C-alpha cells in the first residue's frame, strides 16, 4: 500500500532483511514481541518511554504512543524515521534513524532493538548497515553516531565492526541506576571505503522535502 505520507513508503532492502517505514499495520505485527518483553536479560536498555519496562498493557500503549508522537514531530530541526525490520516477511524488531538540524550539520544517530529470539545471528549488524546506507547514500549524511552502555557487547561490537571510532563516554540511567555509555562516531569517508553495493533504497527521494533536505 502506498501512503500519502512519504516517509512511510521508505524501504531499505538488503539480501537478508528489509527496513520498512513503520506503518500502523507493521507496528501491530510487532505487538506480540513487545508484549512478550524485549528486555528480558542484562544488559538492560535505556530508561526511555519505549524501554519496555512497564507492565502490560501499559507497555504496548506507551510504546505505540512514543512512536506516534515521534512520527508526528518532523521538521528540519528534528526528525526520527521509524522502521520495522522484516525477515522473510516476519516483523522482528525496529531500527530508527534520527536527525537533529540535519540540513546544517549532516549528522545522524540510530536506535534499534530486536526480539530476543532473533539475536546472535548478525541481524543487528545488518540492520545498522542498512540504515547507514540510507543515511549516507540516500540522505547525504556527513557523520553518524551511536552509543550503548559499556557492557552491551553486542551493540558496541556492531559499531566496531562497521568502522565506528570511539568518541568519548557519558552517563545514562537504566531502571533508575546510573551506567557508563560508550559513544561512537562514523565519518562519511570511513563509510565510503567499505560501502556495500547490495543495498537498495526505495522511496527516499519523495521523502526529502518532508525532512527539509534539498
Amino acid at each position: 500500500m502506498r501512503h500519502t505520507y512519504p516517509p512511510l513508503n521508505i524501504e531499505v532492502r538488503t539480501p537478508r532483511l528489509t527496513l520498512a517505514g513503520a506503518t500502523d499495520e507493521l507496528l501491530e505485527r510487532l505487538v506480540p514481541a513487545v508484549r512478550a518483553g524485549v528486555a528480558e536479560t542484562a544488559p538492560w536498555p535505556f530508561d526511555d518511554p519505549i524501554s519496555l519496562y512497564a507492565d502490560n498493557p501499559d507497555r504496548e500503549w506507551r510504546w505505540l504512543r512514543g512512536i506516534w508522537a515521534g512520527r508526528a514531530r518532523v521538521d528540519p530541526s528534528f526528525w526520527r524515521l521509524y522502521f520495522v525490520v522484516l525477515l522473510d516477511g516476519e516483523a522482528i524488531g525496529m531500527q530508527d534513524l534520527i536527525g537533529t538540524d540535519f540540513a546544517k550539520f549532516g549528522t545522524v544517530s540510530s536506535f534499534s532493538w530486536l526480539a530476543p529470539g532473533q539475536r546472535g545471528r548478525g541481524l543487528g549488524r545488518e540492520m545498522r548497515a542498512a540504515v547507514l546506507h540510507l543515511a549516507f547514500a540516500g540522505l547525504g549524511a556527513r557523520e553518524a553516531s551511536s552509543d550503548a552502555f559499556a557492557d552491551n557487547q553486542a551493540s558496541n561490537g556492531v559499531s566496531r565492526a562497521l568502522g565506528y571510532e570511539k568518541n568519548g563516554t557519558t552517563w545514562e540511567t537504566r531502571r533508575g541506576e546510573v551506567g557508563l555509555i560508550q559513544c561512537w562516531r562514523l565519518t562519511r569517508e570511513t563509510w565510503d571505503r567499505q560501502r556495500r553495493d547490495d543495498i537498495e533504497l526505495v522511496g527516499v527521494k519523495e521523502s526529502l522535502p518532508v525532512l527539509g533536505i534539498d
Side-chain angles (χ1 to χ4, degrees):
M1 174 181 177
R2 297 291 294 177
H3 294 271
T4 303
Y5 189 56
L8 294 179
N9 295 319
I10 296 177
E11 289 191 359
V12 187
R13 301 169 182 165
T14 84
R16 294 193 68 188
L17 52 77
T18 296
L19 307 185
T23 64
D24 284 354
E25 184 272 332
L26 288 178
L27 292 175
E28 285 296 327
R29 289 164 58 183
L30 270 179
V31 165
V34 174
R35 184 175 293 133
V38 170
E40 60 178 12
T41 59
W44 307 109
F46 298 92
D47 287 338
D48 183 89
I50 56 171
S51 63
L52 313 179
Y53 293 136
D55 293 330
N56 295 316
D58 192 48
R59 178 188 299 169
E60 302 102 86
W61 297 343
R62 291 178 65 188
W63 172 70
L64 286 168
R65 286 197 299 261
I67 294 171
W68 290 335
R71 288 191 320 197
R73 186 192 169 193
V74 175
D75 59 51
S77 68
F78 179 88
W79 43 259
R80 182 167 182 161
L81 299 176
Y82 296 84
F83 297 98
V84 172
V85 183
L86 300 174
L87 178 68
D88 298 326
E90 179 186 358
I92 62 169
M94 293 198 74
Q95 174 72 66
D96 304 348
L97 186 69
I98 304 151
T100 302
D101 287 324
F102 182 83
K104 183 187 301 181
F105 300 117
T107 59
V108 295
S109 59
S110 59
F111 174 85
S112 66
W113 62 264
L114 266 174
Q118 301 294 339
R119 296 170 189 167
R121 303 169 56 192
L123 297 173
R125 176 173 175 173
E126 188 77 354
M127 291 158 52
R128 184 94 66 85
V131 88
L132 288 173
H133 195 86
L134 169 62
F136 287 114
L139 305 182
R142 301 188 187 98
E143 185 176 297
S145 65
S146 185
D147 52 55
F149 283 104
D151 60 358
N152 189 335
Q153 297 182 12
S155 180
N156 290 314
V158 166
S159 296
R160 189 178 295 109
L162 290 174
Y164 290 75
E165 297 178 348
K166 288 185 176 180
N167 192 34
T169 59
T170 186
W171 300 91
E172 264 290 356
T173 61
R174 50 185 171 182
R175 293 189 167 182
E177 296 187 2
V178 174
L180 182 67
I181 293 288
Q182 177 64 59
C183 304
W184 298 88
R185 171 177 175 265
L186 177 67
T187 65
R188 183 179 187 88
E189 291 73 24
T190 299
W191 174 82
D192 243 338
R193 288 197 294 269
Q194 57 189 15
R195 69 179 294 169
R196 291 170 49 174
D197 60 4
D198 60 350
I199 299 178
E200 179 186 2
L201 299 176
V202 176
V204 175
K205 183 178 179 181
E206 297 82 358
S207 299
L208 298 181
V210 180
L211 306 177
I213 301 174
D214 296 327

